[in-house]
Amino acid sequence: MQTSATNTKPILASINSTNHSKQSSISALSTPKFNRTLLNKAITYHPPKNGCRRRLCSVTSQTSRRLSSELKELAPRSHLLANSKRVSCFHSYNRKKIGVKRFTSGFFADKSTFPLTKNLPDNTEVRELQVPHASVGHEEPHAASTTWPDGVTEKSGLSIVDTEAERIEFENFLRFEIPSHPKLHRGQLKNGLRYLILPNKVPPNRFEAHMEVHVGSIDEEDDEQGIAHMIEHVAFLGSKKREKLLGTGARSNAYTDFHHTVFHIHSPTSTQVCEAEGDLLPVVLDALNEIAFHPKFLSSRVEKERRAILSELQMMNTIEYRVDCQLLQYLHSENKLSKRFPIGLEEQIKKWDADKIRKFHERWYFPANATLYIVGDIDDIPKTVNHIEAVFGKIGMENEAPVPSTPSAFGAMASFLVPKLTGGLSGGLSQERSSVSLEQTKNLRRERHAVRPPVQHNWSIPGSYTEANPPQIFQHELLQNFSVNMFCKIPVNKVRTFGDLRNVLMKRIFLSALHFRINTRYQSSNPPFTAVELDHSDSGREGCTVTTLTVTAEPRNWQNAIKVAVQEVRRLKEFGVTNGELARYLDALLKDSEQLAAMIDNVSSVDNLDFIMESDALGHTVMDQRQGHESLVSVASTVTLEEVNSVGAEVLEFISDFGKQSAPSPAAIVACVPKKVHVDGIGETEFKIEPEEILAAIEAGLKEHIEAEPELEIPKELVSSENLQELLLQRRPSFVPLDQEKKMTKVYDQDTGIVQRCLSNGIPVNYKISKNEANCGVMRLIVGGGRAAETAEAKGAVIVGVRTLSEGGRVGNFSREQVELFCVNHLINCSLESTEEFISMEFRFTLRDNGMRAAFQLLHMVLEQSVWLEDAFDRAKQLYLSYYRSIPKSLERSTAHKLMLAMLGGDERFVEPTPNSLQHLTLEQVKNAVMRQFVSDNMEVSIVGDFTEEDIESCILEYLGTVGERRGSEGPQKYSPIIFRPYTADLQHQQVFLKDTDERACAYIAGPAPNRWGFTFEGKNLLESVINVSAFGEHLKSEDQHSKLENAVQGKLRAHPLFFAITMGLLQEIINSRLFTTVRDSLGLTYDVSFELNLFDWLKLGWYVISVTSTPEKVHKAVDACKNVLRGLHSNQIAPRELDRARRTLLMRHEAEIKSNAYWLGLMAHLQATSVPRKDISCIKELISLYEAATVEDVYIAYEQLKIDENCLFSCIGIAGSQAGEPVTASPEERELSGGLHNVIPVGRGSSTMTRPTT
């Protein structure tokens, strides 16, 4: 089974750990906010994962963005909304939005500021762009309504002109429509099916075809809750025509949310495979036709998917999901969005038969209620239209009432401008569909809703103040931190004119200032909050624009946290942004849009398509990236400080003027709080809070004295010209020979374009000039050691030290704020992280305005003049203490934590540092633990970007070459041995029970594996003996020339350092496919199962992990089934077609990512690292040929190195529920390993109390 995920990490990437140590990125810690789109996300299936989905005992980015107690860099909130929370068929749907995940600049990776210059366009000529554009009428089915209540209008912009003629000309300009995408072709068949076609060359020879059916959970009647999701499962996985695409290199997926169901296929344009030989577009369209309009509702498939969805329902039901459900229920309490979550209701899912499901399909799945999107390497538009007409043209014509063709516009600046404003400003006043009888519905079924989703909202309108509902409190034992959300809800403002675009720009400037002020000013002290964020974003799924103030804090600080947040909102509303802030953020947005325009030919098809679909849902006009930049430049010169502050103040009135008659009423105020909190010296105590106390904290913030924001001096450079010249004279940097025998100071590989250099201070450097991302560059410093180098006397020192460095954020004489703003002005995004075996620092920068030089200056200062602060150290310890205490409140984390401790004998380097370890650390210890790894010959710097050879070598010499030489006193980094625990039955098969109101279950199965280069924890070097090994079958001896050639190719693979990396990657794909087919599809024991390999580079070991979710009554059977699949590769031998499919998947992934600078950065890692001696340029040059050479026998050689017998395999089952039964008393050793975790009760393997009825 193919997956839709594209793993951006190459097979050679070493910095691929998602260990929680990754949270040590240089990033202001923020904790997740309410993620509304988690509830209206697509809910689908999870076939086998390609690549490692998650490391055992690690924190995935997807999870950490929601879990308030986890340490993780968070993308700006719009990132979460853009990517979020559709549970896609294959569990890895997350996709980027154009412009959203671009340069979120700053020294701290979660900053959403946009850096650029202060040269604003003074006399921008506004010219009419002669390109076709379309408009969306109010009857457009996917556009949210923009109708405001009678008598309510938005305030118009302030005039910035002197004469009446100029005023009229300016007003006419603002009313002028922005241009629409010149290459976007739209059409409609006679049966009402709408289609959009966009030629796009990235990736080459591939295309995306998405069928969007405009039906979702919001269209379900009271007895149909979850049926749209059920149809998605049955239709998609029941399609035989889709299955025929599996061997072609195509990947497919599907998802359901509030307002639509989408089936999508990513496919090559042509293939030579069997039945599908030739042009694949007609084949793909035929598959989509069957899936959407002609599914077979076989009872057997319905039962399979029923089991899968019930398992999925329990898997999704984490505390984060429940929090989001609560928030959404209060935010949309007046309409069906509050109670139509796509996953549905368990009791109803269990009852539906095929006939019930078929009737819902007949009501909603017809061509006039669907839109087809095709984006990709397609040049012949008329031919594509002919294919569409041939496949879909005659469907439903016998009963369809043709829908008038209404061209729709799609908004470009939606995700283009903002992390904080994902796309303009839109909303919908629409009529909520009342329940109707089946007969009435049948009569209406050929009509599309004029507005999606069809719900009515209660808007938060200025001047319409009503007594606000009291704050709602959701209290749960699994919550760790305090959080409160204040919501304001308004209609979506469609971005169609230059005036609309101008308003979006001004709001973005205003909110950027607020975000930076809060997260930077308070980071330098000990803030009362963990995170404060104000988000203003459109939601096509909900049909509205929501402004959300989210405050997260430790429970003991919640009142001060609210007070400070309200105080800062008031300060910005009352005094506005400063002239410096206006110049800074306007300049940043212009530079960012300019950068995006330069990359117009490098945007992937799926990014373009996702952007168009979201813009379509919001009713915005779609521009291409170049048009977007030109339009932004046109309005930027008209922006004034007064107007920015006026427009921005309106966004904040529901907070700053809370309680006033003139202010908009909050749509809801919701606090999510723990039931118990930890108090030092006392332990767990009950947490009490009342709605009146929350209101009192808000009122205290409203009364607090405020003063205007002072202007901050921003450094133009971190290393002055004078200091640089002095360093150059003093240290005289130069390039030295890489190899003392060949005496070559520069090694250039023509095939890859990679250059290898070494500086006189001992720092090795690799770089590659790439035009794939115009005017962009990435740089990574890798330092060997990581957490593995921690000593028994200073457990946790490296991870806490890295976090301390990031919390402080100071270098030299520059404050954290100054460093942040330096990054803002130069479009630099920097992150620092520690993994099990490395510390790495990564920079993303633009080549414009000396951006690369600025990034090198920052790296120089970090290496030379890092400042270690006591208060930053205290914050870092407190963060990890909070993180550790949150483990027992997560079923997955507590289960994985227990397994890792058992498997690695309690080795704390691979789990979270305990409170005891944190208590004994000192600032000097953590500083030494980090800095002793930063020695010259233990570092490596790699750079990829659109620079010239002269510029890159100048930066390398001037800023890296002048770093003082540091030699390690003990030679290469060393680490204490890592030992897998010997077999003991009580620790190898464990269980934990988590007290919870709802039932869930998960399990992890793990065991030893070699590392990427064939070394094992037992000290074996497997590569030395692999050439003569035959682990499977007998070779057929042949003397013909073809056989000799095949043997030579196979011999080359077995002698290559990458043998185990290649074969283990293929093995992972094969096992994942079998797990899905057997455990999920055939046995119905799980919704989500995956096999992952954790292959280290420096550490001489690895491990595999199977993770599976299930129900409490099925989880033991699921674990047994997973073990059977893992051990069954000999009895059920690997077929050549399985290997071919795995090979094709990995090569396609490589092909898709090869144009990414970040991917090349991963490929280049460790080329000159002394800690990874087997890595050389052949590992990159010969990657494709090595995959192609691999045979089934080679894969079995890798398989034999996995320790899968019962004496080597470790498992841990976690079950959450309200009744624990009588827990088995834990042994002293077990209590020690569990690190004093509370609320997690170890139980014996044979305990019958683990099976309870599902509710």
Side-chain angles (χ1 to χ4, degrees), residues 49 52-57 91 315 892 896 899 1001-1006 1072 1075 1079 1086-1092 1104-1110 1118-1119 1122 1212:
K49 320 299 182 296
C52 295
R53 179 173 60 87
R54 165 173 42 185
R55 269 197 184 182
L56 183 60
C57 214
H91 193 61
M315 180 199 75
E892 289 78 11
L899 176 67
C1002 70
Y1004 295 100
I1005 305 162
N1072 264 316
L1075 284 170
V1079 186
T1086 182
Y1087 174 76
D1088 180 26
V1089 59
S1090 69
F1091 172 84
E1092 303 166 12
Y1104 62 85
V1105 179
I1106 296 177
S1107 57
V1108 59
T1109 61
S1110 191
V1119 168
C1122 290
C1212 189

mmCIF file of all heavy atoms in Angstrom, residues 49 52-57 91 315 892 896 899 1001-1006 1072 1075 1079 1086-1092 1104-1110 1118-1119 1122 1212:
data_model
loop_
_atom_site.group_PDB
_atom_site.id
_atom_site.type_symbol
_atom_site.label_atom_id
_atom_site.label_comp_id
_atom_site.label_asym_id
_atom_site.label_seq_id
_atom_site.Cartn_x
_atom_site.Cartn_y
_atom_site.Cartn_z
ATOM 1 N N LYS A 49 3.665 3.456 6.840
ATOM 2 C CA LYS A 49 4.384 4.711 6.753
ATOM 3 C C LYS A 49 5.673 4.500 5.991
ATOM 4 O O LYS A 49 6.392 3.564 6.225
ATOM 5 C CB LYS A 49 4.728 5.219 8.142
ATOM 6 C CG LYS A 49 3.655 5.033 9.160
ATOM 7 C CD LYS A 49 2.387 5.766 8.787
ATOM 8 C CE LYS A 49 1.331 5.599 9.839
ATOM 9 N NZ LYS A 49 0.844 4.298 10.053
ATOM 10 N N CYS A 52 10.611 6.868 8.929
ATOM 11 C CA CYS A 52 10.344 6.858 10.357
ATOM 12 C C CYS A 52 9.315 7.921 10.688
ATOM 13 O O CYS A 52 9.540 9.085 10.457
ATOM 14 C CB CYS A 52 11.629 7.137 11.130
ATOM 15 S SG CYS A 52 12.843 5.840 10.908
ATOM 16 N N ARG A 53 8.212 7.507 11.245
ATOM 17 C CA ARG A 53 7.192 8.460 11.653
ATOM 18 C C ARG A 53 7.552 9.083 12.982
ATOM 19 O O ARG A 53 7.337 10.233 13.213
ATOM 20 C CB ARG A 53 5.832 7.778 11.749
ATOM 21 C CG ARG A 53 4.723 8.709 12.183
ATOM 22 C CD ARG A 53 3.395 8.012 12.084
ATOM 23 N NE ARG A 53 3.350 6.841 12.916
ATOM 24 C CZ ARG A 53 3.001 6.864 14.192
ATOM 25 N NH1 ARG A 53 2.668 7.983 14.761
ATOM 26 N NH2 ARG A 53 2.976 5.761 14.897
ATOM 27 N N ARG A 54 8.094 8.300 13.878
ATOM 28 C CA ARG A 54 8.378 8.832 15.190
ATOM 29 C C ARG A 54 9.380 7.924 15.866
ATOM 30 O O ARG A 54 9.288 6.729 15.803
ATOM 31 C CB ARG A 54 7.081 8.885 15.993
ATOM 32 C CG ARG A 54 7.266 9.077 17.448
ATOM 33 C CD ARG A 54 5.941 9.279 18.111
ATOM 34 N NE ARG A 54 4.949 8.376 17.603
ATOM 35 C CZ ARG A 54 3.688 8.421 17.968
ATOM 36 N NH1 ARG A 54 3.287 9.350 18.775
ATOM 37 N NH2 ARG A 54 2.818 7.555 17.510
ATOM 38 N N ARG A 55 10.329 8.533 16.521
ATOM 39 C CA ARG A 55 11.237 7.718 17.316
ATOM 40 C C ARG A 55 10.590 7.348 18.624
ATOM 41 O O ARG A 55 9.873 8.131 19.216
ATOM 42 C CB ARG A 55 12.514 8.480 17.609
ATOM 43 C CG ARG A 55 13.564 8.237 16.550
ATOM 44 C CD ARG A 55 14.913 8.658 17.059
ATOM 45 N NE ARG A 55 15.885 8.508 16.019
ATOM 46 C CZ ARG A 55 17.169 8.757 16.194
ATOM 47 N NH1 ARG A 55 17.615 9.156 17.333
ATOM 48 N NH2 ARG A 55 18.001 8.595 15.207
ATOM 49 N N LEU A 56 10.912 6.164 19.058
ATOM 50 C CA LEU A 56 10.378 5.741 20.338
ATOM 51 C C LEU A 56 10.834 6.705 21.425
ATOM 52 O O LEU A 56 11.951 7.161 21.448
ATOM 53 C CB LEU A 56 10.887 4.340 20.663
ATOM 54 C CG LEU A 56 10.339 3.738 21.944
ATOM 55 C CD1 LEU A 56 8.835 3.627 21.880
ATOM 56 C CD2 LEU A 56 10.947 2.379 22.157
ATOM 57 N N CYS A 57 9.913 6.972 22.300
ATOM 58 C CA CYS A 57 10.180 7.856 23.432
ATOM 59 C C CYS A 57 10.536 9.251 22.969
ATOM 60 O O CYS A 57 11.281 9.959 23.601
ATOM 61 C CB CYS A 57 11.315 7.327 24.284
ATOM 62 S SG CYS A 57 11.051 7.694 26.011
ATOM 63 N N HIS A 91 -1.919 9.042 7.563
ATOM 64 C CA HIS A 91 -1.395 9.550 8.810
ATOM 65 C C HIS A 91 -0.369 10.646 8.652
ATOM 66 O O HIS A 91 0.089 11.190 9.609
ATOM 67 C CB HIS A 91 -0.754 8.424 9.613
ATOM 68 C CG HIS A 91 -0.479 8.848 11.016
ATOM 69 N ND1 HIS A 91 -1.472 9.232 11.878
ATOM 70 C CD2 HIS A 91 0.667 8.977 11.706
ATOM 71 C CE1 HIS A 91 -0.939 9.544 13.038
ATOM 72 N NE2 HIS A 91 0.338 9.401 12.968
ATOM 73 N N MET A 315 -7.931 6.010 19.104
ATOM 74 C CA MET A 315 -6.579 6.508 18.920
ATOM 75 C C MET A 315 -6.554 8.036 18.980
ATOM 76 O O MET A 315 -5.667 8.645 19.572
ATOM 77 C CB MET A 315 -6.026 6.046 17.580
ATOM 78 C CG MET A 315 -4.601 6.521 17.308
ATOM 79 S SD MET A 315 -4.178 6.441 15.567
ATOM 80 C CE MET A 315 -5.087 7.845 14.925
ATOM 81 N N GLU A 892 0.810 7.587 25.442
ATOM 82 C CA GLU A 892 1.887 7.205 24.527
ATOM 83 C C GLU A 892 3.254 7.474 25.147
ATOM 84 O O GLU A 892 4.168 6.641 25.073
ATOM 85 C CB GLU A 892 1.754 7.961 23.202
ATOM 86 C CG GLU A 892 0.596 7.516 22.344
ATOM 87 C CD GLU A 892 -0.750 8.060 22.811
ATOM 88 O OE1 GLU A 892 -0.775 8.957 23.690
ATOM 89 O OE2 GLU A 892 -1.784 7.586 22.314
ATOM 90 N N ALA A 896 6.009 4.611 26.174
ATOM 91 C CA ALA A 896 7.321 4.609 25.519
ATOM 92 C C ALA A 896 8.443 4.840 26.518
ATOM 93 O O ALA A 896 9.510 4.234 26.436
ATOM 94 C CB ALA A 896 7.349 5.689 24.430
ATOM 95 N N LEU A 899 9.202 1.640 28.321
ATOM 96 C CA LEU A 899 9.883 0.680 27.453
ATOM 97 C C LEU A 899 11.350 1.039 27.267
ATOM 98 O O LEU A 899 12.228 0.176 27.332
ATOM 99 C CB LEU A 899 9.180 0.621 26.097
ATOM 100 C CG LEU A 899 9.849 -0.286 25.063
ATOM 101 C CD1 LEU A 899 9.753 -1.741 25.518
ATOM 102 C CD2 LEU A 899 9.211 -0.126 23.700
ATOM 103 N N ALA A 1001 -5.809 2.546 24.092
ATOM 104 C CA ALA A 1001 -4.697 1.609 24.269
ATOM 105 C C ALA A 1001 -3.651 1.833 23.189
ATOM 106 O O ALA A 1001 -3.971 2.222 22.059
ATOM 107 C CB ALA A 1001 -5.186 0.158 24.225
ATOM 108 N N CYS A 1002 -2.411 1.615 23.546
ATOM 109 C CA CYS A 1002 -1.316 1.670 22.581
ATOM 110 C C CYS A 1002 -0.254 0.689 23.028
ATOM 111 O O CYS A 1002 -0.276 0.194 24.158
ATOM 112 C CB CYS A 1002 -0.731 3.085 22.458
ATOM 113 S SG CYS A 1002 0.195 3.619 23.914
ATOM 114 N N ALA A 1003 0.681 0.395 22.149
ATOM 115 C CA ALA A 1003 1.768 -0.516 22.508
ATOM 116 C C ALA A 1003 2.995 -0.199 21.678
ATOM 117 O O ALA A 1003 2.885 0.305 20.543
ATOM 118 C CB ALA A 1003 1.346 -1.967 22.293
ATOM 119 N N TYR A 1004 4.150 -0.491 22.240
ATOM 120 C CA TYR A 1004 5.424 -0.371 21.533
ATOM 121 C C TYR A 1004 6.168 -1.692 21.641
ATOM 122 O O TYR A 1004 6.191 -2.326 22.700
ATOM 123 C CB TYR A 1004 6.282 0.747 22.120
ATOM 124 C CG TYR A 1004 5.686 2.120 21.941
ATOM 125 C CD1 TYR A 1004 5.012 2.747 22.989
ATOM 126 C CD2 TYR A 1004 5.790 2.785 20.736
ATOM 127 C CE1 TYR A 1004 4.464 4.002 22.837
ATOM 128 C CE2 TYR A 1004 5.242 4.036 20.567
ATOM 129 C CZ TYR A 1004 4.576 4.646 21.614
ATOM 130 O OH TYR A 1004 4.021 5.882 21.454
ATOM 131 N N ILE A 1005 6.771 -2.104 20.542
ATOM 132 C CA ILE A 1005 7.594 -3.314 20.481
ATOM 133 C C ILE A 1005 8.948 -2.875 19.925
ATOM 134 O O ILE A 1005 8.999 -2.218 18.875
ATOM 135 C CB ILE A 1005 6.961 -4.370 19.563
ATOM 136 C CG1 ILE A 1005 5.528 -4.666 20.004
ATOM 137 C CG2 ILE A 1005 7.797 -5.634 19.528
ATOM 138 C CD1 ILE A 1005 4.696 -5.341 18.933
ATOM 139 N N ALA A 1006 10.011 -3.215 20.580
ATOM 140 C CA ALA A 1006 11.320 -2.718 20.154
ATOM 141 C C ALA A 1006 12.394 -3.767 20.381
ATOM 142 O O ALA A 1006 12.235 -4.703 21.174
ATOM 143 C CB ALA A 1006 11.670 -1.437 20.909
ATOM 144 N N ASN A 1072 6.394 -2.367 6.871
ATOM 145 C CA ASN A 1072 5.260 -1.457 7.054
ATOM 146 C C ASN A 1072 4.071 -1.867 6.200
ATOM 147 O O ASN A 1072 2.922 -1.850 6.646
ATOM 148 C CB ASN A 1072 5.674 -0.023 6.722
ATOM 149 C CG ASN A 1072 6.075 0.756 7.958
ATOM 150 O OD1 ASN A 1072 5.408 0.690 8.981
ATOM 151 N ND2 ASN A 1072 7.162 1.482 7.867
ATOM 152 N N LEU A 1075 2.495 -4.946 7.773
ATOM 153 C CA LEU A 1075 1.778 -4.629 8.999
ATOM 154 C C LEU A 1075 0.408 -4.048 8.692
ATOM 155 O O LEU A 1075 -0.595 -4.414 9.316
ATOM 156 C CB LEU A 1075 2.588 -3.643 9.852
ATOM 157 C CG LEU A 1075 3.780 -4.203 10.612
ATOM 158 C CD1 LEU A 1075 4.611 -3.073 11.203
ATOM 159 C CD2 LEU A 1075 3.326 -5.158 11.716
ATOM 160 N N VAL A 1079 -2.348 -6.491 10.074
ATOM 161 C CA VAL A 1079 -2.858 -6.091 11.389
ATOM 162 C C VAL A 1079 -4.027 -5.124 11.261
ATOM 163 O O VAL A 1079 -5.000 -5.197 12.003
ATOM 164 C CB VAL A 1079 -1.734 -5.467 12.243
ATOM 165 C CG1 VAL A 1079 -2.225 -5.183 13.658
ATOM 166 C CG2 VAL A 1079 -0.524 -6.382 12.277
ATOM 167 N N THR A 1086 -6.300 -2.672 14.523
ATOM 168 C CA THR A 1086 -5.743 -1.339 14.748
ATOM 169 C C THR A 1086 -6.151 -0.415 13.620
ATOM 170 O O THR A 1086 -6.577 -0.847 12.547
ATOM 171 C CB THR A 1086 -4.207 -1.391 14.822
ATOM 172 O OG1 THR A 1086 -3.700 -0.075 15.101
ATOM 173 C CG2 THR A 1086 -3.610 -1.865 13.504
ATOM 174 N N TYR A 1087 -6.002 0.859 13.898
ATOM 175 C CA TYR A 1087 -6.142 1.860 12.845
ATOM 176 C C TYR A 1087 -4.766 2.333 12.396
ATOM 177 O O TYR A 1087 -4.568 2.721 11.266
ATOM 178 C CB TYR A 1087 -6.939 3.050 13.372
ATOM 179 C CG TYR A 1087 -7.014 4.197 12.408
ATOM 180 C CD1 TYR A 1087 -7.862 4.137 11.307
ATOM 181 C CD2 TYR A 1087 -6.234 5.329 12.579
ATOM 182 C CE1 TYR A 1087 -7.925 5.180 10.416
ATOM 183 C CE2 TYR A 1087 -6.293 6.377 11.691
ATOM 184 C CZ TYR A 1087 -7.143 6.306 10.607
ATOM 185 O OH TYR A 1087 -7.205 7.343 9.711
ATOM 186 N N ASP A 1088 -3.812 2.288 13.295
ATOM 187 C CA ASP A 1088 -2.506 2.883 13.016
ATOM 188 C C ASP A 1088 -1.399 1.964 13.528
ATOM 189 O O ASP A 1088 -1.308 1.702 14.723
ATOM 190 C CB ASP A 1088 -2.409 4.241 13.707
ATOM 191 C CG ASP A 1088 -1.085 4.927 13.461
ATOM 192 O OD1 ASP A 1088 -0.469 4.648 12.423
ATOM 193 O OD2 ASP A 1088 -0.676 5.736 14.301
ATOM 194 N N VAL A 1089 -0.568 1.481 12.624
ATOM 195 C CA VAL A 1089 0.563 0.649 13.009
ATOM 196 C C VAL A 1089 1.748 1.025 12.134
ATOM 197 O O VAL A 1089 1.590 1.286 10.941
ATOM 198 C CB VAL A 1089 0.228 -0.855 12.878
ATOM 199 C CG1 VAL A 1089 -0.164 -1.219 11.462
ATOM 200 C CG2 VAL A 1089 1.387 -1.716 13.365
ATOM 201 N N SER A 1090 2.926 1.085 12.715
ATOM 202 C CA SER A 1090 4.102 1.448 11.924
ATOM 203 C C SER A 1090 5.347 0.773 12.469
ATOM 204 O O SER A 1090 5.458 0.483 13.667
ATOM 205 C CB SER A 1090 4.314 2.969 11.920
ATOM 206 O OG SER A 1090 4.699 3.412 13.202
ATOM 207 N N PHE A 1091 6.281 0.531 11.562
ATOM 208 C CA PHE A 1091 7.596 -0.027 11.895
ATOM 209 C C PHE A 1091 8.630 1.023 11.537
ATOM 210 O O PHE A 1091 8.640 1.544 10.412
ATOM 211 C CB PHE A 1091 7.834 -1.305 11.095
ATOM 212 C CG PHE A 1091 9.236 -1.864 11.230
ATOM 213 C CD1 PHE A 1091 9.571 -2.673 12.299
ATOM 214 C CD2 PHE A 1091 10.206 -1.574 10.287
ATOM 215 C CE1 PHE A 1091 10.859 -3.191 12.429
ATOM 216 C CE2 PHE A 1091 11.493 -2.084 10.393
ATOM 217 C CZ PHE A 1091 11.817 -2.901 11.474
ATOM 218 N N GLU A 1092 9.497 1.331 12.493
ATOM 219 C CA GLU A 1092 10.510 2.363 12.264
ATOM 220 C C GLU A 1092 11.875 1.861 12.689
ATOM 221 O O GLU A 1092 11.994 1.127 13.677
ATOM 222 C CB GLU A 1092 10.182 3.617 13.068
ATOM 223 C CG GLU A 1092 8.821 4.190 12.756
ATOM 224 C CD GLU A 1092 8.397 5.213 13.793
ATOM 225 O OE1 GLU A 1092 9.259 5.613 14.593
ATOM 226 O OE2 GLU A 1092 7.215 5.581 13.807
ATOM 227 N N TYR A 1104 14.867 -0.927 16.422
ATOM 228 C CA TYR A 1104 13.629 -0.823 15.647
ATOM 229 C C TYR A 1104 12.481 -0.645 16.628
ATOM 230 O O TYR A 1104 12.566 -1.029 17.805
ATOM 231 C CB TYR A 1104 13.400 -2.064 14.773
ATOM 232 C CG TYR A 1104 13.235 -3.341 15.551
ATOM 233 C CD1 TYR A 1104 11.991 -3.728 16.074
ATOM 234 C CD2 TYR A 1104 14.329 -4.177 15.797
ATOM 235 C CE1 TYR A 1104 11.851 -4.899 16.806
ATOM 236 C CE2 TYR A 1104 14.190 -5.348 16.534
ATOM 237 C CZ TYR A 1104 12.954 -5.701 17.034
ATOM 238 O OH TYR A 1104 12.807 -6.848 17.763
ATOM 239 N N VAL A 1105 11.405 -0.066 16.158
ATOM 240 C CA VAL A 1105 10.230 0.141 16.995
ATOM 241 C C VAL A 1105 8.980 -0.115 16.163
ATOM 242 O O VAL A 1105 8.850 0.402 15.054
ATOM 243 C CB VAL A 1105 10.153 1.584 17.541
ATOM 244 C CG1 VAL A 1105 8.896 1.753 18.398
ATOM 245 C CG2 VAL A 1105 11.385 1.938 18.331
ATOM 246 N N ILE A 1106 8.088 -0.918 16.677
ATOM 247 C CA ILE A 1106 6.736 -1.024 16.123
ATOM 248 C C ILE A 1106 5.809 -0.310 17.093
ATOM 249 O O ILE A 1106 5.804 -0.605 18.289
ATOM 250 C CB ILE A 1106 6.282 -2.489 15.960
ATOM 251 C CG1 ILE A 1106 7.166 -3.218 14.942
ATOM 252 C CG2 ILE A 1106 4.826 -2.546 15.523
ATOM 253 C CD1 ILE A 1106 6.826 -4.691 14.790
ATOM 254 N N SER A 1107 5.057 0.646 16.605
ATOM 255 C CA SER A 1107 4.063 1.319 17.435
ATOM 256 C C SER A 1107 2.692 0.989 16.880
ATOM 257 O O SER A 1107 2.476 0.993 15.672
ATOM 258 C CB SER A 1107 4.287 2.831 17.438
ATOM 259 O OG SER A 1107 4.256 3.354 16.129
ATOM 260 N N VAL A 1108 1.764 0.684 17.772
ATOM 261 C CA VAL A 1108 0.424 0.286 17.349
ATOM 262 C C VAL A 1108 -0.583 0.846 18.342
ATOM 263 O O VAL A 1108 -0.350 0.872 19.545
ATOM 264 C CB VAL A 1108 0.302 -1.260 17.248
ATOM 265 C CG1 VAL A 1108 0.592 -1.920 18.572
ATOM 266 C CG2 VAL A 1108 -1.061 -1.675 16.723
ATOM 267 N N THR A 1109 -1.684 1.360 17.821
ATOM 268 C CA THR A 1109 -2.793 1.796 18.661
ATOM 269 C C THR A 1109 -3.921 0.810 18.510
ATOM 270 O O THR A 1109 -4.083 0.180 17.466
ATOM 271 C CB THR A 1109 -3.281 3.192 18.249
ATOM 272 O OG1 THR A 1109 -3.746 3.140 16.897
ATOM 273 C CG2 THR A 1109 -2.169 4.217 18.360
ATOM 274 N N SER A 1110 -4.720 0.657 19.560
ATOM 275 C CA SER A 1110 -5.814 -0.294 19.503
ATOM 276 C C SER A 1110 -6.801 0.023 20.612
ATOM 277 O O SER A 1110 -6.721 1.071 21.260
ATOM 278 C CB SER A 1110 -5.282 -1.726 19.628
ATOM 279 O OG SER A 1110 -6.287 -2.666 19.335
ATOM 280 N N ALA A 1118 -3.263 -7.344 18.992
ATOM 281 C CA ALA A 1118 -2.543 -6.514 18.024
ATOM 282 C C ALA A 1118 -1.039 -6.655 18.190
ATOM 283 O O ALA A 1118 -0.290 -6.742 17.208
ATOM 284 C CB ALA A 1118 -2.967 -5.050 18.184
ATOM 285 N N VAL A 1119 -0.581 -6.700 19.434
ATOM 286 C CA VAL A 1119 0.855 -6.881 19.697
ATOM 287 C C VAL A 1119 1.319 -8.229 19.168
ATOM 288 O O VAL A 1119 2.367 -8.332 18.505
ATOM 289 C CB VAL A 1119 1.143 -6.745 21.203
ATOM 290 C CG1 VAL A 1119 2.563 -7.213 21.521
ATOM 291 C CG2 VAL A 1119 0.960 -5.295 21.648
ATOM 292 N N CYS A 1122 1.533 -8.126 15.404
ATOM 293 C CA CYS A 1122 2.714 -7.374 14.957
ATOM 294 C C CYS A 1122 3.973 -8.228 15.062
ATOM 295 O O CYS A 1122 4.826 -8.227 14.159
ATOM 296 C CB CYS A 1122 2.871 -6.096 15.773
ATOM 297 S SG CYS A 1122 1.630 -4.827 15.467
ATOM 298 N N CYS A 1212 5.869 -2.983 25.544
ATOM 299 C CA CYS A 1212 5.146 -2.343 26.634
ATOM 300 C C CYS A 1212 3.775 -1.941 26.115
ATOM 301 O O CYS A 1212 3.671 -1.312 25.050
ATOM 302 C CB CYS A 1212 5.897 -1.125 27.160
ATOM 303 S SG CYS A 1212 5.182 -0.454 28.681
#
